[in-house]
mmCIF file of all heavy atoms in Angstrom:
data_model
loop_
_atom_site.group_PDB
_atom_site.id
_atom_site.type_symbol
_atom_site.label_atom_id
_atom_site.label_comp_id
_atom_site.label_asym_id
_atom_site.label_seq_id
_atom_site.Cartn_x
_atom_site.Cartn_y
_atom_site.Cartn_z
ATOM 1 N N LEU A 1 -17.942 30.510 25.879
ATOM 2 C CA LEU A 1 -17.244 29.392 25.191
ATOM 3 C C LEU A 1 -17.364 28.100 26.004
ATOM 4 O O LEU A 1 -17.574 27.041 25.530
ATOM 5 C CB LEU A 1 -15.892 29.855 25.022
ATOM 6 C CG LEU A 1 -14.952 28.848 24.163
ATOM 7 C CD1 LEU A 1 -15.558 28.616 22.826
ATOM 8 C CD2 LEU A 1 -13.464 29.377 24.136
ATOM 9 N N CYS A 2 -17.158 28.180 27.301
ATOM 10 C CA CYS A 2 -17.259 27.051 28.221
ATOM 11 C C CYS A 2 -18.647 26.443 28.188
ATOM 12 O O CYS A 2 -18.916 25.281 28.198
ATOM 13 C CB CYS A 2 -16.926 27.378 29.687
ATOM 14 S SG CYS A 2 -15.249 27.780 29.879
ATOM 15 N N GLU A 3 -19.634 27.352 28.300
ATOM 16 C CA GLU A 3 -20.965 26.903 28.246
ATOM 17 C C GLU A 3 -21.356 26.094 26.931
ATOM 18 O O GLU A 3 -21.970 25.006 26.946
ATOM 19 C CB GLU A 3 -21.930 28.137 28.244
ATOM 20 C CG GLU A 3 -23.226 27.819 28.935
ATOM 21 C CD GLU A 3 -23.991 29.228 29.204
ATOM 22 O OE1 GLU A 3 -23.918 30.155 28.269
ATOM 23 O OE2 GLU A 3 -24.639 29.439 30.233
ATOM 24 N N TYR A 4 -20.892 26.696 25.749
ATOM 25 C CA TYR A 4 -21.180 25.977 24.514
ATOM 26 C C TYR A 4 -20.319 24.663 24.355
ATOM 27 O O TYR A 4 -20.866 23.705 23.984
ATOM 28 C CB TYR A 4 -20.558 26.920 23.360
ATOM 29 C CG TYR A 4 -20.589 26.453 22.026
ATOM 30 C CD1 TYR A 4 -21.761 26.094 21.301
ATOM 31 C CD2 TYR A 4 -19.413 25.989 21.316
ATOM 32 C CE1 TYR A 4 -21.818 25.474 20.149
ATOM 33 C CE2 TYR A 4 -19.371 25.477 20.133
ATOM 34 C CZ TYR A 4 -20.600 25.138 19.455
ATOM 35 O OH TYR A 4 -20.575 24.479 18.249
ATOM 36 N N ALA A 5 -19.130 24.708 24.936
ATOM 37 C CA ALA A 5 -18.317 23.435 24.865
ATOM 38 C C ALA A 5 -19.096 22.390 25.735
ATOM 39 O O ALA A 5 -19.087 21.144 25.264
ATOM 40 C CB ALA A 5 -16.945 23.705 25.304
ATOM 41 N N HIS A 6 -19.477 22.748 26.813
ATOM 42 C CA HIS A 6 -20.223 21.862 27.769
ATOM 43 C C HIS A 6 -21.422 21.300 27.125
ATOM 44 O O HIS A 6 -21.641 20.051 27.102
ATOM 45 C CB HIS A 6 -20.634 22.535 29.033
ATOM 46 C CG HIS A 6 -21.371 21.649 29.973
ATOM 47 N ND1 HIS A 6 -22.589 21.658 30.148
ATOM 48 C CD2 HIS A 6 -20.737 20.737 30.896
ATOM 49 C CE1 HIS A 6 -22.969 20.781 31.196
ATOM 50 N NE2 HIS A 6 -21.792 20.234 31.609
ATOM 51 N N GLU A 7 -22.181 22.098 26.419
ATOM 52 C CA GLU A 7 -23.383 21.622 25.782
ATOM 53 C C GLU A 7 -23.057 20.609 24.673
ATOM 54 O O GLU A 7 -23.621 19.534 24.417
ATOM 55 C CB GLU A 7 -24.199 22.719 25.256
ATOM 56 C CG GLU A 7 -24.899 23.644 26.190
ATOM 57 C CD GLU A 7 -25.604 24.688 25.616
ATOM 58 O OE1 GLU A 7 -25.791 24.904 24.390
ATOM 59 O OE2 GLU A 7 -25.963 25.650 26.411
ATOM 60 N N LEU A 8 -22.029 21.059 23.853
ATOM 61 C CA LEU A 8 -21.494 20.178 22.696
ATOM 62 C C LEU A 8 -21.083 18.836 23.191
ATOM 63 O O LEU A 8 -21.334 17.818 22.646
ATOM 64 C CB LEU A 8 -20.468 20.959 21.967
ATOM 65 C CG LEU A 8 -20.059 20.274 20.621
ATOM 66 C CD1 LEU A 8 -20.953 20.628 19.558
ATOM 67 C CD2 LEU A 8 -18.582 20.724 20.348
ATOM 68 N N LEU A 9 -20.208 18.854 24.172
ATOM 69 C CA LEU A 9 -19.560 17.544 24.684
ATOM 70 C C LEU A 9 -20.569 16.692 25.351
ATOM 71 O O LEU A 9 -20.267 15.446 25.361
ATOM 72 C CB LEU A 9 -18.386 17.983 25.637
ATOM 73 C CG LEU A 9 -17.189 18.757 25.019
ATOM 74 C CD1 LEU A 9 -16.384 19.066 26.038
ATOM 75 C CD2 LEU A 9 -16.480 17.860 23.977
ATOM 76 N N GLN A 10 -21.691 17.201 25.802
ATOM 77 C CA GLN A 10 -22.655 16.390 26.514
ATOM 78 C C GLN A 10 -23.747 15.817 25.421
ATOM 79 O O GLN A 10 -24.487 14.896 25.733
ATOM 80 C CB GLN A 10 -23.483 17.083 27.484
ATOM 81 C CG GLN A 10 -22.808 17.172 28.795
ATOM 82 C CD GLN A 10 -23.594 17.722 29.927
ATOM 83 O OE1 GLN A 10 -24.466 18.561 29.754
ATOM 84 N NE2 GLN A 10 -23.494 17.270 31.089
ATOM 85 N N ASP A 11 -23.828 16.479 24.351
ATOM 86 C CA ASP A 11 -24.857 16.118 23.377
ATOM 87 C C ASP A 11 -24.581 14.703 22.716
ATOM 88 O O ASP A 11 -23.536 14.504 22.086
ATOM 89 C CB ASP A 11 -24.784 17.180 22.217
ATOM 90 C CG ASP A 11 -25.996 17.014 21.221
ATOM 91 O OD1 ASP A 11 -26.567 15.962 21.126
ATOM 92 O OD2 ASP A 11 -26.433 18.005 20.653
ATOM 93 N N GLU A 12 -25.435 13.764 22.974
ATOM 94 C CA GLU A 12 -25.321 12.477 22.393
ATOM 95 C C GLU A 12 -25.305 12.381 20.816
ATOM 96 O O GLU A 12 -24.935 11.358 20.288
ATOM 97 C CB GLU A 12 -26.407 11.417 22.995
ATOM 98 C CG GLU A 12 -26.179 11.256 24.507
ATOM 99 C CD GLU A 12 -27.421 10.532 25.050
ATOM 100 O OE1 GLU A 12 -28.262 10.072 24.339
ATOM 101 O OE2 GLU A 12 -27.422 10.395 26.287
ATOM 102 N N ASN A 13 -25.957 13.383 20.186
ATOM 103 C CA ASN A 13 -26.060 13.360 18.821
ATOM 104 C C ASN A 13 -24.833 13.979 18.146
ATOM 105 O O ASN A 13 -24.819 13.811 16.792
ATOM 106 C CB ASN A 13 -27.318 14.250 18.338
ATOM 107 C CG ASN A 13 -28.584 13.693 18.954
ATOM 108 O OD1 ASN A 13 -28.780 12.436 18.797
ATOM 109 N ND2 ASN A 13 -29.372 14.525 19.492
ATOM 110 N N VAL A 14 -23.847 14.491 18.812
ATOM 111 C CA VAL A 14 -22.630 15.026 18.224
ATOM 112 C C VAL A 14 -21.634 13.828 18.170
ATOM 113 O O VAL A 14 -21.381 13.093 19.091
ATOM 114 C CB VAL A 14 -22.152 16.238 18.950
ATOM 115 C CG1 VAL A 14 -20.719 16.690 18.468
ATOM 116 C CG2 VAL A 14 -23.034 17.277 19.036
ATOM 117 N N ASP A 15 -21.068 13.639 16.972
ATOM 118 C CA ASP A 15 -20.047 12.591 16.755
ATOM 119 C C ASP A 15 -18.770 12.807 17.632
ATOM 120 O O ASP A 15 -18.388 14.019 17.886
ATOM 121 C CB ASP A 15 -19.601 12.709 15.259
ATOM 122 C CG ASP A 15 -18.654 11.555 14.936
ATOM 123 O OD1 ASP A 15 -19.169 10.338 14.700
ATOM 124 O OD2 ASP A 15 -17.440 11.803 14.898
ATOM 125 N N PHE A 16 -18.206 11.722 18.133
ATOM 126 C CA PHE A 16 -17.173 11.667 19.040
ATOM 127 C C PHE A 16 -15.841 12.405 18.360
ATOM 128 O O PHE A 16 -15.201 13.158 19.122
ATOM 129 C CB PHE A 16 -16.728 10.264 19.461
ATOM 130 C CG PHE A 16 -15.575 10.356 20.490
ATOM 131 C CD1 PHE A 16 -15.726 10.623 21.754
ATOM 132 C CD2 PHE A 16 -14.166 10.227 20.105
ATOM 133 C CE1 PHE A 16 -14.772 10.640 22.692
ATOM 134 C CE2 PHE A 16 -13.112 10.161 20.988
ATOM 135 C CZ PHE A 16 -13.459 10.400 22.291
ATOM 136 N N LYS A 17 -15.647 12.337 17.099
ATOM 137 C CA LYS A 17 -14.569 12.915 16.521
ATOM 138 C C LYS A 17 -14.650 14.426 16.498
ATOM 139 O O LYS A 17 -13.657 15.169 16.709
ATOM 140 C CB LYS A 17 -14.407 12.436 15.064
ATOM 141 C CG LYS A 17 -13.973 11.098 14.904
ATOM 142 C CD LYS A 17 -13.488 10.786 13.540
ATOM 143 C CE LYS A 17 -13.037 9.392 13.455
ATOM 144 N NZ LYS A 17 -11.637 9.141 13.823
ATOM 145 N N ILE A 18 -15.822 14.925 16.416
ATOM 146 C CA ILE A 18 -16.078 16.426 16.659
ATOM 147 C C ILE A 18 -15.851 16.887 18.000
ATOM 148 O O ILE A 18 -15.170 17.955 18.252
ATOM 149 C CB ILE A 18 -17.503 16.795 16.164
ATOM 150 C CG1 ILE A 18 -17.703 16.575 14.633
ATOM 151 C CG2 ILE A 18 -17.825 18.259 16.492
ATOM 152 C CD1 ILE A 18 -19.040 16.717 14.184
ATOM 153 N N LYS A 19 -16.329 15.988 19.037
ATOM 154 C CA LYS A 19 -16.111 16.367 20.447
ATOM 155 C C LYS A 19 -14.611 16.407 20.646
ATOM 156 O O LYS A 19 -14.026 17.236 21.365
ATOM 157 C CB LYS A 19 -16.722 15.423 21.267
ATOM 158 C CG LYS A 19 -18.268 15.479 21.218
ATOM 159 C CD LYS A 19 -18.827 14.440 22.065
ATOM 160 C CE LYS A 19 -20.373 14.489 22.033
ATOM 161 N NZ LYS A 19 -20.993 13.428 22.996
ATOM 162 N N GLU A 20 -13.887 15.480 20.127
ATOM 163 C CA GLU A 20 -12.459 15.318 20.362
ATOM 164 C C GLU A 20 -11.685 16.554 19.770
ATOM 165 O O GLU A 20 -10.914 17.192 20.347
ATOM 166 C CB GLU A 20 -11.796 14.046 19.710
ATOM 167 C CG GLU A 20 -10.437 13.791 19.938
ATOM 168 C CD GLU A 20 -9.893 12.627 19.217
ATOM 169 O OE1 GLU A 20 -10.480 12.192 18.181
ATOM 170 O OE2 GLU A 20 -8.940 11.993 19.752
ATOM 171 N N LYS A 21 -12.122 17.024 18.640
ATOM 172 C CA LYS A 21 -11.497 18.119 17.989
ATOM 173 C C LYS A 21 -11.774 19.386 18.832
ATOM 174 O O LYS A 21 -10.791 20.209 19.067
ATOM 175 C CB LYS A 21 -12.102 18.360 16.458
ATOM 176 C CG LYS A 21 -11.367 19.450 15.708
ATOM 177 C CD LYS A 21 -11.861 19.568 14.368
ATOM 178 C CE LYS A 21 -11.517 20.744 13.598
ATOM 179 N NZ LYS A 21 -10.179 20.642 13.015
ATOM 180 N N VAL A 22 -13.023 19.647 19.283
ATOM 181 C CA VAL A 22 -13.289 20.791 20.041
ATOM 182 C C VAL A 22 -12.460 20.777 21.276
ATOM 183 O O VAL A 22 -11.912 21.758 21.732
ATOM 184 C CB VAL A 22 -14.813 20.768 20.351
ATOM 185 C CG1 VAL A 22 -15.177 21.841 21.471
ATOM 186 C CG2 VAL A 22 -15.640 21.001 19.146
ATOM 187 N N ALA A 23 -12.464 19.546 22.033
ATOM 188 C CA ALA A 23 -11.656 19.448 23.280
ATOM 189 C C ALA A 23 -10.166 19.760 23.045
ATOM 190 O O ALA A 23 -9.648 20.534 23.810
ATOM 191 C CB ALA A 23 -11.842 18.024 23.802
ATOM 192 N N ASN A 24 -9.668 19.253 21.925
ATOM 193 C CA ASN A 24 -8.157 19.554 21.708
ATOM 194 C C ASN A 24 -7.965 21.116 21.273
ATOM 195 O O ASN A 24 -6.884 21.465 21.583
ATOM 196 C CB ASN A 24 -7.739 18.677 20.515
ATOM 197 C CG ASN A 24 -7.490 17.233 20.879
ATOM 198 O OD1 ASN A 24 -7.219 16.977 22.066
ATOM 199 N ND2 ASN A 24 -7.717 16.356 20.023
ATOM 200 N N GLU A 25 -8.991 21.664 20.752
ATOM 201 C CA GLU A 25 -8.800 23.149 20.377
ATOM 202 C C GLU A 25 -8.817 24.031 21.669
ATOM 203 O O GLU A 25 -8.274 25.006 21.736
ATOM 204 C CB GLU A 25 -9.865 23.569 19.506
ATOM 205 C CG GLU A 25 -9.574 23.188 18.060
ATOM 206 C CD GLU A 25 -8.386 23.728 17.344
ATOM 207 O OE1 GLU A 25 -8.135 24.874 17.606
ATOM 208 O OE2 GLU A 25 -7.676 22.930 16.623
ATOM 209 N N LEU A 26 -9.702 23.601 22.627
ATOM 210 C CA LEU A 26 -10.007 24.374 23.807
ATOM 211 C C LEU A 26 -9.050 24.179 24.964
ATOM 212 O O LEU A 26 -8.594 25.025 25.726
ATOM 213 C CB LEU A 26 -11.437 24.219 24.237
ATOM 214 C CG LEU A 26 -12.515 24.683 23.425
ATOM 215 C CD1 LEU A 26 -13.836 24.229 24.062
ATOM 216 C CD2 LEU A 26 -12.438 26.057 23.246
ATOM 217 N N PHE A 27 -8.721 22.887 25.223
ATOM 218 C CA PHE A 27 -8.032 22.524 26.537
ATOM 219 C C PHE A 27 -6.528 22.114 26.222
ATOM 220 O O PHE A 27 -6.178 21.452 25.289
ATOM 221 C CB PHE A 27 -8.791 21.317 27.149
ATOM 222 C CG PHE A 27 -10.211 21.637 27.241
ATOM 223 C CD1 PHE A 27 -11.095 20.577 26.721
ATOM 224 C CD2 PHE A 27 -10.700 22.628 27.952
ATOM 225 C CE1 PHE A 27 -12.393 20.775 26.955
ATOM 226 C CE2 PHE A 27 -11.990 22.782 28.128
ATOM 227 C CZ PHE A 27 -12.960 21.913 27.602
ATOM 228 N N ASP A 28 -5.708 22.727 27.192
ATOM 229 C CA ASP A 28 -4.316 22.384 27.135
ATOM 230 C C ASP A 28 -4.162 21.096 27.840
ATOM 231 O O ASP A 28 -3.390 20.136 27.396
ATOM 232 C CB ASP A 28 -3.597 23.486 27.761
ATOM 233 C CG ASP A 28 -2.009 23.255 27.624
ATOM 234 O OD1 ASP A 28 -1.641 22.751 26.635
ATOM 235 O OD2 ASP A 28 -1.335 23.574 28.633
ATOM 236 N N LYS A 29 -4.761 20.967 29.005
ATOM 237 C CA LYS A 29 -4.695 19.694 29.793
ATOM 238 C C LYS A 29 -5.810 19.720 30.743
ATOM 239 O O LYS A 29 -6.384 20.778 31.246
ATOM 240 C CB LYS A 29 -3.347 19.471 30.459
ATOM 241 C CG LYS A 29 -2.982 20.525 31.478
ATOM 242 C CD LYS A 29 -1.590 20.312 31.951
ATOM 243 C CE LYS A 29 -1.179 21.396 32.800
ATOM 244 N NZ LYS A 29 0.261 21.160 33.267
ATOM 245 N N ILE A 30 -6.317 18.511 31.154
ATOM 246 C CA ILE A 30 -7.244 18.278 32.287
ATOM 247 C C ILE A 30 -6.687 17.346 33.131
ATOM 248 O O ILE A 30 -6.233 16.271 32.717
ATOM 249 C CB ILE A 30 -8.589 17.836 31.503
ATOM 250 C CG1 ILE A 30 -9.129 18.850 30.508
ATOM 251 C CG2 ILE A 30 -9.602 17.514 32.666
ATOM 252 C CD1 ILE A 30 -10.374 18.294 29.802
ATOM 253 N N ILE A 31 -6.767 17.718 34.476
ATOM 254 C CA ILE A 31 -6.116 16.737 35.423
ATOM 255 C C ILE A 31 -7.293 16.481 36.450
ATOM 256 O O ILE A 31 -7.895 17.437 36.963
ATOM 257 C CB ILE A 31 -4.954 17.467 36.093
ATOM 258 C CG1 ILE A 31 -3.860 17.749 35.119
ATOM 259 C CG2 ILE A 31 -4.425 16.634 37.364
ATOM 260 C CD1 ILE A 31 -2.721 18.507 35.641
ATOM 261 N N TYR A 32 -7.448 15.164 36.682
ATOM 262 C CA TYR A 32 -8.366 14.777 37.707
ATOM 263 C C TYR A 32 -7.501 14.262 38.970
ATOM 264 O O TYR A 32 -6.747 13.380 38.815
ATOM 265 C CB TYR A 32 -9.269 13.731 37.287
ATOM 266 C CG TYR A 32 -10.230 13.127 38.302
ATOM 267 C CD1 TYR A 32 -11.194 13.842 38.937
ATOM 268 C CD2 TYR A 32 -10.107 11.773 38.718
ATOM 269 C CE1 TYR A 32 -12.085 13.370 39.916
ATOM 270 C CE2 TYR A 32 -10.945 11.305 39.640
ATOM 271 C CZ TYR A 32 -11.904 12.094 40.341
ATOM 272 O OH TYR A 32 -12.693 11.599 41.252
ATOM 273 N N ASN A 33 -7.742 14.783 40.129
ATOM 274 C CA ASN A 33 -7.241 14.295 41.364
ATOM 275 C C ASN A 33 -8.277 13.510 42.080
ATOM 276 O O ASN A 33 -9.207 14.030 42.731
ATOM 277 C CB ASN A 33 -6.766 15.515 42.263
ATOM 278 C CG ASN A 33 -6.014 15.110 43.448
ATOM 279 O OD1 ASN A 33 -6.335 14.184 44.053
ATOM 280 N ND2 ASN A 33 -4.960 15.959 43.767
ATOM 281 N N LYS A 34 -8.003 12.157 42.031
ATOM 282 C CA LYS A 34 -8.940 11.303 42.681
ATOM 283 C C LYS A 34 -9.049 11.459 44.209
ATOM 284 O O LYS A 34 -10.145 11.476 44.772
ATOM 285 C CB LYS A 34 -8.555 9.798 42.336
ATOM 286 C CG LYS A 34 -9.607 8.834 42.800
ATOM 287 C CD LYS A 34 -9.123 7.491 42.342
ATOM 288 C CE LYS A 34 -10.085 6.345 42.886
ATOM 289 N NZ LYS A 34 -9.762 5.027 42.353
ATOM 290 N N ASP A 35 -7.892 11.665 44.806
ATOM 291 C CA ASP A 35 -7.862 11.919 46.306
ATOM 292 C C ASP A 35 -8.704 13.094 46.728
ATOM 293 O O ASP A 35 -9.475 12.990 47.856
ATOM 294 C CB ASP A 35 -6.397 11.841 46.797
ATOM 295 C CG ASP A 35 -5.562 10.733 46.582
ATOM 296 O OD1 ASP A 35 -6.212 9.597 46.521
ATOM 297 O OD2 ASP A 35 -4.414 10.858 46.411
ATOM 298 N N GLU A 36 -8.568 14.121 46.010
ATOM 299 C CA GLU A 36 -9.327 15.399 46.408
ATOM 300 C C GLU A 36 -10.718 15.445 45.671
ATOM 301 O O GLU A 36 -11.522 16.283 45.958
ATOM 302 C CB GLU A 36 -8.452 16.506 46.026
ATOM 303 C CG GLU A 36 -7.240 16.659 46.763
ATOM 304 C CD GLU A 36 -6.333 17.827 46.369
ATOM 305 O OE1 GLU A 36 -6.809 18.642 45.496
ATOM 306 O OE2 GLU A 36 -5.186 17.956 46.771
ATOM 307 N N ASN A 37 -10.890 14.569 44.721
ATOM 308 C CA ASN A 37 -12.134 14.623 43.909
ATOM 309 C C ASN A 37 -12.213 15.925 43.165
ATOM 310 O O ASN A 37 -13.336 16.610 43.206
ATOM 311 C CB ASN A 37 -13.420 14.219 44.675
ATOM 312 C CG ASN A 37 -14.573 13.949 43.722
ATOM 313 O OD1 ASN A 37 -14.393 13.489 42.659
ATOM 314 N ND2 ASN A 37 -15.624 14.211 44.153
ATOM 315 N N THR A 38 -11.179 16.481 42.576
ATOM 316 C CA THR A 38 -11.168 17.712 42.044
ATOM 317 C C THR A 38 -10.686 17.540 40.569
ATOM 318 O O THR A 38 -10.026 16.670 40.132
ATOM 319 C CB THR A 38 -10.170 18.754 42.606
ATOM 320 O OG1 THR A 38 -8.936 18.091 42.658
ATOM 321 C CG2 THR A 38 -10.484 19.021 43.988
ATOM 322 N N LEU A 39 -11.170 18.499 39.614
ATOM 323 C CA LEU A 39 -10.931 18.483 38.318
ATOM 324 C C LEU A 39 -10.233 19.769 37.910
ATOM 325 O O LEU A 39 -10.833 20.817 38.178
ATOM 326 C CB LEU A 39 -12.113 18.358 37.433
ATOM 327 C CG LEU A 39 -12.069 18.203 35.864
ATOM 328 C CD1 LEU A 39 -11.281 16.810 35.610
ATOM 329 C CD2 LEU A 39 -13.410 18.111 35.251
ATOM 330 N N TYR A 40 -8.987 19.810 37.408
ATOM 331 C CA TYR A 40 -8.423 21.044 37.044
ATOM 332 C C TYR A 40 -8.334 21.105 35.535
ATOM 333 O O TYR A 40 -7.882 20.130 34.769
ATOM 334 C CB TYR A 40 -6.979 21.103 37.612
ATOM 335 C CG TYR A 40 -6.889 21.111 39.008
ATOM 336 C CD1 TYR A 40 -6.668 19.865 39.711
ATOM 337 C CD2 TYR A 40 -6.967 22.280 39.766
ATOM 338 C CE1 TYR A 40 -6.564 19.924 41.139
ATOM 339 C CE2 TYR A 40 -6.981 22.268 41.096
ATOM 340 C CZ TYR A 40 -6.840 21.159 41.814
ATOM 341 O OH TYR A 40 -6.790 21.126 43.124
#
């Protein structure tokens, strides 16, 4: 599922609204820590 989502979200031919819907269905939250340069 992660592999598929990654491919879909990177695909320039996929409409942003579809990417937004997929992201909202899969992810509860995404946190970027700039100091540690980490993504949760």
Side-chain angles (χ1 to χ4, degrees):
L1 186 60
C2 289
E3 209 171 42
Y4 174 72
H6 182 259
E7 289 175 17
L8 185 82
L9 294 172
Q10 281 193 322
D11 190 336
E12 294 175 5
N13 298 315
V14 176
D15 185 78
F16 183 79
K17 291 199 181 268
I18 293 172
K19 291 178 180 183
E20 181 181 35
K21 183 175 172 88
V22 168
N24 285 329
E25 286 292 320
L26 292 176
F27 309 123
D28 185 34
K29 61 184 170 181
I30 300 172
I31 300 172
Y32 174 66
N33 183 321
K34 186 176 179 180
D35 295 334
E36 297 176 6
N37 194 31
T38 54
L39 186 69
Y40 298 94

